[in-house]
Amino acid sequence: MEFDGEFELEDVPPEQAWIVLSDPVAVRNSLKGCRYITPMDDDFSYDEYEPDENLETLPEADPEAVAERAFKEGQQYAALMQVGVGSVKPRFETTVTIEERDEEQFIMTATGSGTASGSSFSMESGMQIHPLEGSEGSRIEWWTEADISGRIAQLGSRVIEPVANKIVSNFFGDIERQMSDVEETDSGITDRIRGML
C-alpha cells in the first residue's frame, strides 16, 4: 500500500519544521497510539522498557536536550504502536532505522518493520521540507510504502486507508500546533539547536 501527501505550514519556516520533526519525543506525542520512540540496541526489550512520559518538547525543553535526542542517521529506534483498525487493535513492536538525514535539503528517510499478534508490516517512508512559495512557511512532502500481512491485511484497503489517513491528519495537525508554539517564543531557539545538530 502506498500513502503520500503534502502539508503546508504557513508561518513555520523550514528550519523550524525540521527541528520539531527531528525530535522523537515531539513525533511520539503527535502520533496517536504511539507509546514511545527510543534508540535501541541488541539487548532492547519491548516488554521491559518503561518510557519517560514527562519529557518536555520545545519551546519548554532544554535546546541541548532536544539536539542530543534528535534522530540520527543509521540509528535504529524501537517504537511501540497500538492502533485500532476495524475490530482489531494490535500492539505493534516496531523497529525503525533512519536511512538518510540531510540537514541541508531537509530530507529524512526511514525503513521499518513491526509485528503484532497475527499481523506484520514492513515500510519505507520519507519526507522533505520545502520553502513555501510566497511566504515564510514550509511545504512538507511525505510518502510511505507499506507491505501489510496477516489479520490486518485481511481487512482490506477500504478499512486500512481511512485509519491511516486519520492518523496522518492528526499527526500533522498536532505537529503544526507544536511548531506554532515554538514560533511564538524566542526564534533564537531554532538557530541554537541547528548549530548543535
Side-chain angles (χ1 to χ4, degrees):
M1 301 182 75
E2 294 183 10
F3 305 93
D4 58 61
E6 292 186 354
F7 193 79
E8 293 184 357
L9 302 168
E10 289 192 7
D11 299 317
V12 181
E15 296 82 4
Q16 203 157 319
W18 176 254
I19 286 169
V20 174
L21 287 166
S22 295
D23 181 1
V25 177
V27 171
R28 173 199 75 182
N29 292 351
S30 296
L31 201 53
K32 184 174 173 55
C34 184
R35 281 209 56 219
Y36 57 77
I37 302 172
T38 188
M40 68 185 298
D41 56 23
D42 293 339
D43 300 324
F44 184 84
S45 168
Y46 289 91
D47 292 327
E48 294 175 12
Y49 181 74
E50 286 295 327
D52 188 340
E53 304 285 354
N54 299 313
L55 292 173
E56 292 182 327
T57 55
L58 294 174
E60 291 82 12
D62 174 9
E64 289 187 16
V66 174
E68 178 65 29
R69 71 186 183 217
F71 288 118
K72 294 175 178 59
E73 188 171 286
Q75 173 70 53
Q76 274 196 330
Y77 294 84
L80 188 64
M81 293 281 302
Q82 188 157 17
V83 180
V85 183
S87 59
V88 182
K89 193 168 186 182
R91 175 181 179 265
F92 278 100
E93 297 178 353
T94 306
T95 303
V96 177
T97 303
I98 304 300
E99 300 290 349
E100 178 186 12
R101 191 168 184 282
D102 184 335
E103 295 181 21
E104 300 301 318
Q105 299 296 317
F106 303 122
I107 297 172
M108 190 156 34
T109 63
T111 57
S113 60
T115 58
S117 56
S119 300
S120 64
F121 78 94
S122 61
M123 62 94 181
E124 295 181 15
S125 63
M127 68 163 192
Q128 182 168 12
I129 306 171
H130 307 273
L132 187 59
E133 289 183 26
S135 82
E136 296 290 311
S138 306
R139 178 174 62 84
I140 301 169
E141 179 185 2
W142 63 271
W143 60 94
T144 295
E145 189 171 324
D147 185 18
I148 304 167
S149 61
R151 290 177 64 197
I152 291 182
Q154 292 169 4
L155 296 172
S157 61
R158 286 188 310 155
V159 175
I160 297 170
E161 286 185 16
V163 173
N165 289 334
K166 184 175 182 183
I167 290 170
V168 168
S169 177
N170 288 344
F171 173 78
F172 280 114
D174 196 78
I175 285 289
E176 181 175 25
R177 181 192 55 73
Q178 289 190 55
M179 291 177 185
S180 298
D181 289 347
V182 175
E183 179 67 23
E184 288 169 7
T185 60
D186 178 13
S187 61
I189 290 175
T190 304
D191 296 333
R192 284 172 60 198
I193 295 177
R194 275 186 64 78
M196 297 175 204
L197 292 175

